[in-house]
Amino acid sequence: MKNQFIVSFLLLIVFISSIQLLFAQDSTEAEGTVDITYAVGADMSFLKSAEENGKEFKDNGEVKPGLDIFRDHGYNWIRLRLFHSPDELPNDLEYTIELAQEAEKRGYKFLLDYHYADSWADPGKQPIPAAWKGLSVDVLADSVYQYTKNTIEAFREAGVMPEMVQIGNETRNGMLWPTGKLPENWDNFAKLVKAGVDGVDAGRGQAARPLIMIHYDQGADADGTKKYYDKFNSYNIPYDIIGLSYYPWWHGNLLEFRENLLSLVNNFTKDIILVETAYHWQPSEYEDTIAPYPETPEGQREFLESVNETLLNISSPKIKGIFWWEPAVQGGLGARSFFDEEGNALPVMDVFNKYRLGQKEEEGIPD
């Protein structure tokens, strides 16, 4: 009888510990209210600028607004970056609101990507905005809060409240250097991210709370990704989405990407979105090495099909979507575009037709 009591007591302890662990894992839940299902999206931050500069995008030879073309091929999310005070690039608040409004008219959901910089922020550089240089960490955190609050208010008042918000871009090495640079300044970095999250909450008013994304670039690095989110979660900052980048010439092969997805699904409660990926339709990154796919229009299409199927074949509802990085551009980034040099849509444009297009019977048959 005594042994039975001891066994029952030990089982009770195990049960309580499991419940405590579950709550500990969920302590960073942001309780976002947006239903993602499976996002098919693209970062089209340069689209408006390209069209204003005379770039024409064509689908089956017909010139159409770029946003219409992507919508007609199953894209339902747009990702737009926001720079603080850009000198050369167009991605300021006014420009981003106008592009978001055009996307909203066409039924897109909107992911806002805060760079917290005047220009590009990525793992190799996270330049502090000129307006914030020299500030202490506390004053800098307040600046992040006020700026985020004010810009979210501006989007809300313009009728384009984002459904999802990224606090920082590819923040594996932190943001707002040197104050928030990792690995040496985790406490500062966490304070700055928390200020951004709080700013979103303060700026949204009575609008639904956007989902919050924390973005790690090395999409094929299972060990590094787990260590990053383990450390980040120790600060109990509420968020909803793990965002990944995956570019094979920088990050590794598809099996390594799959291994990371499985690790994230098994070790974390968060949903997962591949928020940046791309491949080239003409020789760019593999001129001197063997490419996993030909850098041709058909190879570009095959790459996107393979990456998407890798996501879909992970048996978990946590896998929530895929975004291409800059498919509608002109100039130097054109090799990863969905359009050739004459503006004609390439085969990659059709990848999601078989997944997203179709019509329920009660909706009627289109003419």
Side-chain angles (χ1 to χ4, degrees):
M1 187 71 177
K2 181 178 179 182
N3 289 340
Q4 185 178 359
F5 174 78
I6 292 173
V7 170
S8 299
F9 181 71
L10 291 174
L11 289 173
L12 178 61
I13 291 176
V14 170
F15 175 75
I16 292 172
S17 298
S18 299
I19 294 296
Q20 289 175 334
L21 178 59
L22 178 62
F23 277 104
Q25 288 176 332
D26 287 341
S27 63
T28 59
E29 291 297 325
E31 298 181 356
T33 59
V34 178
D35 179 19
I36 304 175
T37 310
Y38 189 83
V40 174
D43 190 315
M44 292 186 263
S45 299
F46 278 141
L47 172 64
K48 181 174 181 289
S49 175
E51 290 182 327
E52 288 176 346
N53 289 327
K55 180 72 173 180
E56 292 184 336
F57 297 109
K58 305 170 190 174
D59 192 17
N60 293 319
E62 181 182 352
V63 175
K64 296 180 180 179
L67 289 172
D68 288 357
I69 296 175
F70 284 93
R71 179 201 58 198
D72 293 345
H73 287 272
Y75 284 75
N76 63 339
W77 278 81
I78 188 170
R79 178 179 185 246
L80 300 176
R81 65 180 160 270
L82 180 64
F83 295 143
H84 185 280
S85 300
D87 289 330
E88 299 177 1
L89 298 172
N91 310 105
D92 62 10
L93 181 60
E94 179 182 6
Y95 172 96
T96 305
I97 286 176
E98 290 175 357
L99 183 46
Q101 288 173 328
E102 290 301 312
E104 192 274 338
K105 292 176 186 176
R106 294 164 169 85
Y108 286 86
K109 292 181 179 178
F110 170 30
L111 165 55
L112 175 62
D113 177 15
Y114 279 103
H115 277 237
Y116 294 114
D118 292 333
S119 186
W120 302 108
D122 56 46
K125 56 186 179 300
Q126 294 279 340
I128 196 166
W132 296 349
K133 286 186 176 179
L135 301 180
S136 68
V137 63
D138 290 334
V139 177
L140 182 58
D142 184 65
S143 299
V144 169
Y145 169 82
Q146 294 294 340
Y147 167 72
T148 307
K149 173 180 178 291
N150 292 342
T151 48
I152 289 292
E153 284 178 346
F155 283 106
R156 174 170 56 83
E157 292 170 359
V160 285
M161 182 70 190
E163 283 84 6
M164 193 184 309
V165 176
Q166 238 184 270
I167 305 298
N169 186 71
E170 294 189 323
T171 56
R172 172 169 55 94
N173 292 324
M175 66 182 188
L176 294 162
W177 291 356
T179 306
K181 189 173 185 179
L182 299 181
E184 58 267 36
N185 295 305
W186 262 102
D187 288 352
N188 289 351
F189 172 64
K191 180 177 287 190
L192 297 171
V193 173
K194 181 62 162 54
V197 173
D198 290 345
V200 173
D201 256 341
R204 70 182 174 95
Q206 299 303 309
R209 185 177 198 190
L211 298 169
I212 301 297
M213 174 183 287
I214 304 299
H215 183 194
Y216 188 90
D217 66 298
Q218 293 278 350
D221 179 8
D223 290 341
T225 307
K226 184 177 183 301
K227 288 177 183 177
Y228 176 88
Y229 286 101
D230 277 338
K231 181 68 173 179
F232 185 85
N233 288 347
S234 72
Y235 288 91
N236 294 317
I237 299 169
Y239 73 106
D240 305 277
I241 308 289
I242 288 173
L244 298 174
S245 298
Y246 176 60
Y247 301 99
W249 58 91
W250 286 326
H251 298 153
N253 61 51
L254 268 181
L255 288 178
E256 291 167 326
F257 174 56
R258 179 178 181 274
E259 179 184 356
N260 191 22
L261 293 173
L262 291 170
S263 172
L264 291 170
V265 164
N266 291 331
N267 287 293
F268 300 100
T269 62
K270 305 303 178 186
D271 289 335
I272 302 158
I273 291 178
L274 178 57
V275 76
E276 287 191 26
T277 195
Y279 206 76
H280 301 91
W281 61 270
Q282 57 186 2
S284 297
E285 296 291 341
Y286 292 99
E287 294 177 328
D288 300 318
T289 57
I290 299 174
Y293 302 87
E295 290 188 303
T296 63
E298 288 300 331
Q300 184 191 47
R301 174 184 178 135
E302 185 184 358
F303 168 80
L304 182 56
E305 288 176 334
S306 297
V307 173
N308 186 54
E309 287 169 3
T310 300
L311 289 163
L312 294 177
N313 288 334
I314 301 294
S315 182
S316 171
K318 297 176 187 176
I319 304 298
K320 291 293 190 182
I322 182 171
F323 284 68
W324 191 272
W325 194 82
E326 289 292 0
V329 294
Q330 59 182 3
L333 294 172
R336 63 179 62 182
S337 174
F338 278 21
F339 302 89
D340 65 18
E341 292 169 352
E342 284 72 46
N344 298 298
L346 294 165
V348 69
M349 182 64 77
D350 297 328
V351 166
F352 293 104
N353 290 3
K354 63 185 177 183
Y355 295 105
R356 293 294 324 282
L357 302 188
Q359 197 162 29
K360 295 180 180 178
E361 185 175 348
E362 60 268 22
E363 293 176 351
I365 299 174
D367 294 331

